[in-house]
Amino acid sequence: MKPVSILLCLVGIVSWCVSGRAQAGILKSDALARATQMILVTTSDWNAVEGRLRRYERATVHEDWRRVGDPISIVVGKNGLGWGIGVIATDDAQVRSASDPVKREGDGRAPAGIFALGTAFGYASEPLQGLKMAYLNLTPSIECVDDPGSKHYNRIMDRSVNAPDWNSSEHMRNAGESYRWGVVVDHNGIVTGDTNPPEPGGGSCVFLHIWHSHDQGTAGCTAMPQPDLEILLTWLDPARQPLLVQLPEPAYERLINRWMLPKLINIPQR
């Protein structure tokens, strides 16, 4: 697996388009039906920071989901979860209760729902050994735009080749150990931008990345220990159209049959 060339990646969004866009461009109604890998993240309620992550897979779309490995500890946003914008609409009254929080820019919540995944990224010039995802090397000029007023809102941009029109962004190389490795979550059109433009203020720059500790929430991402993230990254295969399902447990139990999700098995997490 070779790094994605920066020259190919800097028209609008830094482009994981070859593999990421193809995967995330699945018809919304078909996304769950076509996936054969699933990352499942659950928390105890909407405001909980700590939770657990499980991996599931199936050989074909006609088989039941099978758990892979043991659950691992994760943290979500410092203020919990809120309904986000993913591959399945969540504004239906049978999905979203009136009292449920909805993800907004700067609210400290990670998005709830079902999401495709984009490119992997990291500080190393070469990708993690065994990685199958497209890979972006985070050079010092790479930024994720979180300014809702920018035409590049919720885009990963290279400042060295794009004239900034934004007043706020995340300098990804400056995130310390958090972004040593990570993967983009396709929330609010960060990958599918041209076909599903981001909703201004709907939330931006959502990733799976390395945590600081087991009880310190993020600005809106989902984070975990580095060894567990590395296992997750090398397990993911874009050809299997993996999805991230992220919900508080009460919502998960309510939607398990509607979305044909695997049953939770309560075994000790590590």
Side-chain angles (χ1 to χ4, degrees):
M1 181 74 195
K2 294 182 179 180
V4 177
S5 169
I6 293 296
L7 292 176
L8 294 176
C9 294
L10 296 171
V11 180
I13 183 173
V14 175
S15 186
W16 34 77
C17 11
V18 173
S19 64
R21 185 183 295 273
Q23 173 208 329
I26 303 166
L27 290 174
K28 290 191 176 185
S29 60
D30 292 343
L32 269 173
R34 295 187 180 184
T36 58
Q37 284 186 329
M38 178 187 295
I39 302 168
L40 172 59
V41 170
T42 57
T43 60
S44 59
D45 57 51
W46 286 107
N47 299 317
V49 170
E50 299 179 58
R52 55 172 56 180
L53 179 150
R54 301 168 173 88
R55 291 182 290 147
Y56 290 88
E57 64 183 14
R58 54 187 179 181
T60 73
V61 297
H62 304 294
E63 297 182 12
D64 293 334
W65 290 104
R66 177 177 61 85
R67 184 173 53 81
V68 178
D70 294 331
I72 65 167
S73 298
I74 56 88
V75 293
V76 294
K78 60 186 178 182
N79 293 322
L81 295 172
W83 285 113
I85 303 170
V87 299
I88 290 183
T90 60
D91 52 0
D92 188 311
Q94 293 182 308
V95 173
R96 182 196 300 174
S97 299
S99 60
D100 293 348
V102 176
K103 171 68 184 166
R104 301 301 297 172
E105 184 66 43
D107 63 2
R109 293 184 181 272
I114 302 179
F115 309 94
L117 298 171
T119 190
F121 58 80
Y123 298 153
S125 58
E126 296 293 327
L128 187 66
Q129 186 174 5
L131 185 72
K132 305 174 193 69
M133 311 287 284
Y135 178 74
L136 173 68
N137 175 18
L138 297 180
T139 62
S141 58
I142 299 294
E143 303 176 26
C144 189
V145 179
D146 55 15
D147 177 0
S150 168
K151 66 180 180 182
H152 301 300
Y153 175 65
N154 199 24
R155 293 286 182 274
I156 296 179
M157 306 296 295
D158 189 331
R159 178 182 283 266
S160 69
V161 296
N162 292 276
D165 72 338
W166 55 87
N167 296 314
S168 177
S169 66
E170 182 175 8
H171 293 256
M172 296 181 69
R173 185 75 190 205
N174 297 338
E177 290 301 302
S178 295
Y179 291 173
R180 181 163 297 281
W181 302 116
V183 64
V184 175
V185 175
D186 186 21
H187 170 256
N188 195 19
I190 191 170
V191 172
T192 56
D194 293 341
T195 54
N196 295 292
E199 175 189 313
S204 62
C205 309
V206 176
F207 313 121
L208 303 179
H209 64 72
I210 299 168
W211 72 8
H212 291 288
S213 70
H214 71 91
D215 57 358
Q216 183 176 346
T218 70
C221 298
T222 298
M224 64 204 77
Q226 180 172 336
D228 293 312
L229 179 62
E230 291 177 353
I231 291 171
L232 179 66
L233 288 175
T234 54
W235 172 73
L236 287 169
D237 183 349
R240 302 185 67 177
Q241 300 179 6
L243 294 175
L244 168 66
V245 178
Q246 193 157 260
L247 293 167
E249 288 183 9
Y252 188 89
E253 294 297 338
R254 189 175 72 249
L255 295 167
I256 191 169
N257 293 326
R258 181 182 180 91
W259 287 351
M260 300 177 65
L261 300 170
K263 293 187 179 298
L264 295 179
I265 300 174
N266 290 320
I267 62 175
Q269 69 189 99
R270 56 186 176 82

